Amino acid sequence: MGYKVAVVGATGNVGREMLSVLAERSFPAEEVVALASRRSLGSEVSYGDRTLKSKALEHFDFSDTDICLMSAGSAVSKEWSPKIAAAGAVVIDNSSCWRYDADVPLIVPEVNGDAVASFRKKGIIANPNCSTAQLVVALKPLHDRAKITRVVVATYQSVSGAGKEAMDELFAQTKSVFTLDEIAAKKFPKRIAFNVIPHIDVFMEDGFTKEEWKMVAETKKILDPKIKVVATCVRVPVFVGHSEAVNIEFENPISADEAREILCTAPGCLVIDKREAGGYATPFEAAGEDATYISRVREDPTVENGLVLWCVSDNLRKGAALNAVQIAESLINRDLLNAKRRAA
Ligand SMILES: NC(=O)c1ccc[n+]([C@@H]2O[C@H](COP(=O)([O-])OP(=O)(O)OC[C@H]3O[C@@H](n4cnc5c(N)ncnc54)[C@H](OP(=O)(O)O)[C@@H]3O)[C@@H](O)[C@H]2O)c1
């Protein structure tokens, strides 16, 4: 028997991608329901070759829903996830609302898939920030081999990470540059077209941004609390696909060749690393794909055991929708959903 799946935020960037990923992976769904705000009541969204009409979250009865994939922001999740979980569905949430709650597992299946079992405390599982997801996929196999002690990461994050309005803003501003119209900045604090903005999410007291803080806290929770992480998060005028320049220090020696070999067979990773023009991945190739692409692996001559690499992934897929669907698959593969149904 298949599962009943609800997608909350189905009209958004991540929600639409969730519906595509569910269809592409032939997720064992008996029924899929698209939910969004009242504003989108009746809006059509694609699920494989079918079209679903969006329903309003506030009027939906979750009592026979098995899985709820949430991607409607923190405020909506804070109010709705506990109610949906109480009604009996397992909530897999994409916002940052529950990620740091000790009773909510934060999961990247390639890294800490077994931790899904602890969803029972609140009935909620958190999906990490898009930049963290691809980072930990790349770090995990290297950590297993040589024990990472410190990571310095600079991100180059696409505008789709800030939602569909942010994509519209880049498009409109780019057009305005050519038509010599006024450039209006609403979603971003400065013009994003033909520009780079070293600021994502709010500033914190210590001068870091919340996005940078998230990468630190989430890498520790998912991979290892002992790893020191420092991040600089930057928005770039790319529509889809986040890139990261990553400096990694290890307790034990590891060569670039060895790291490349390990990453070639690591789950979720795809190495493209020819030392020639174009022999590396860019967001253009990663968009629409599932893999975390790794390129430019080299030894860092300035530290004892260090590597530098470039890592690119589709933020709407591994950074959000794909990871959420993989979490749902992890529950099914471990028989945790049927066990929940039997216990109900
Ligand atoms: N984009 C990424 O790379 C990424 C990665 C990881 C996590 N996330 C997280 O995923 C969430 C969604 O991001 P997004 O990029 O998809 O945003 P988005 O494109 O702006 O879409 C937001 C979605 O939430 C719905 N929504 C808003 N208020 C609602 C309400 N009161 N009740 C029900 N639905 C409501 C919207 O419905 P309407 O169309 O009806 O307004 C829309 O479907 C955010 O929490 C974001 O932080 C995003």
Side-chain angles (χ1 to χ4, degrees):
M1 205 170 84
Y3 299 94
K4 181 166 176 181
V5 181
V7 175
V8 177
T11 54
N13 271 345
V14 174
R16 284 174 193 271
E17 202 68 38
M18 280 171 166
L19 291 167
S20 302
V21 174
L22 286 169
E24 276 166 31
R25 294 172 75 88
S26 304
F27 187 86
E30 196 171 83
E31 187 182 350
V32 174
V33 186
L35 301 169
S37 77
R38 255 188 302 172
R39 293 179 292 273
S40 305
L41 192 66
S43 299
E44 294 189 339
V45 287
S46 299
Y47 167 53
D49 51 17
R50 292 176 49 196
T51 301
L52 307 179
K53 279 201 188 331
S54 183
K55 299 181 180 174
L57 166 66
E58 63 199 61
H59 297 130
F60 191 70
D61 174 5
F62 284 90
S63 56
D64 62 348
T65 300
D66 296 292
I67 302 164
C68 174
L69 302 176
M70 284 287 278
S71 76
S74 279
V76 176
S77 182
K78 190 171 182 194
E79 180 186 349
W80 282 93
S81 293
K83 292 185 199 169
I84 297 168
V90 179
V91 177
I92 300 172
D93 182 47
N94 262 281
S95 78
S96 57
C97 182
W98 306 98
R99 290 179 192 155
Y100 319 109
D101 186 320
D103 292 336
V104 172
L106 177 64
I107 303 292
V108 174
E110 294 89 340
V111 181
N112 64 339
D114 286 337
V116 282
S118 60
F119 78 90
R120 288 189 190 86
K121 288 184 188 153
K122 285 208 162 126
I124 302 172
I125 301 171
N127 207 59
N129 179 268
C130 34
S131 306
T132 311
Q134 67 184 69
L135 179 69
V136 295
V137 167
L139 294 181
K140 161 79 174 160
L142 302 177
H143 187 49
D144 287 348
R145 163 66 187 81
K147 206 155 184 217
I148 297 173
T149 54
R150 179 169 180 256
V151 175
V152 181
V153 56
T155 70
Y156 306 72
Q157 297 180 222
S158 68
V159 295
S160 57
K164 56 186 189 241
E165 285 172 19
M167 295 177 84
D168 293 343
E169 187 157 311
L170 172 59
F171 185 80
Q173 287 185 358
T174 306
K175 229 169 67 181
S176 299
V177 170
F178 290 106
T179 52
L180 303 178
D181 284 329
E182 197 187 324
I183 299 199
K186 245 169 70 190
K187 272 302 267 189
F188 296 111
K190 291 199 178 204
R191 157 184 163 162
I192 183 66
F194 304 99
N195 201 10
V196 159
I197 305 174
H199 166 201
I200 301 178
D201 210 331
V202 296
F203 275 92
M204 309 200 37
E205 251 175 39
D206 59 5
F208 283 91
T209 62
K210 187 85 184 282
E211 186 82 353
E212 290 159 354
W213 177 86
K214 284 177 199 166
M215 288 194 80
V216 177
E218 294 176 21
T219 301
K220 284 174 180 285
K221 183 165 174 178
I222 298 165
L223 188 55
D224 187 338
K226 292 201 199 81
I227 297 177
K228 292 180 190 162
V229 183
V230 63
T232 301
C233 292
V234 180
R235 188 74 69 192
V236 296
V238 166
F239 281 103
V240 177
H242 287 359
S243 308
E244 297 173 351
V246 195
N247 291 59
I248 315 164
E249 287 176 46
F250 298 87
E251 194 169 298
N252 304 310
I254 178 167
S255 69
D257 284 345
E258 202 179 352
R260 218 175 284 112
E261 216 168 281
I262 290 167
L263 289 164
C264 275
T265 56
C269 295
L270 208 142
V271 176
I272 299 184
D273 196 8
K274 289 190 188 139
R275 293 176 169 180
E276 61 188 37
Y280 38 79
T282 66
F284 184 69
E285 295 94 48
E289 300 293 327
D290 289 349
T292 293
Y293 290 84
I294 320 259
S295 305
R296 309 275 337 268
V297 182
R298 56 220 192 268
E299 281 143 39
D300 179 350
T302 66
V303 293
E304 199 176 340
N305 300 315
L307 293 175
V308 190
L309 56 82
W310 175 248
C311 155
V312 187
S313 196
D314 182 327
N315 52 295
L316 299 177
R317 290 180 76 92
K318 188 57 200 168
L322 171 67
N323 197 67
V325 174
Q326 286 176 314
I327 293 173
E329 290 169 347
S330 305
L331 288 168
I332 294 170
N333 295 340
R334 289 168 175 79
D335 203 29
L336 294 167
L337 276 186
N338 284 333
K340 191 170 184 296
R341 274 180 174 180
R342 285 192 294 270

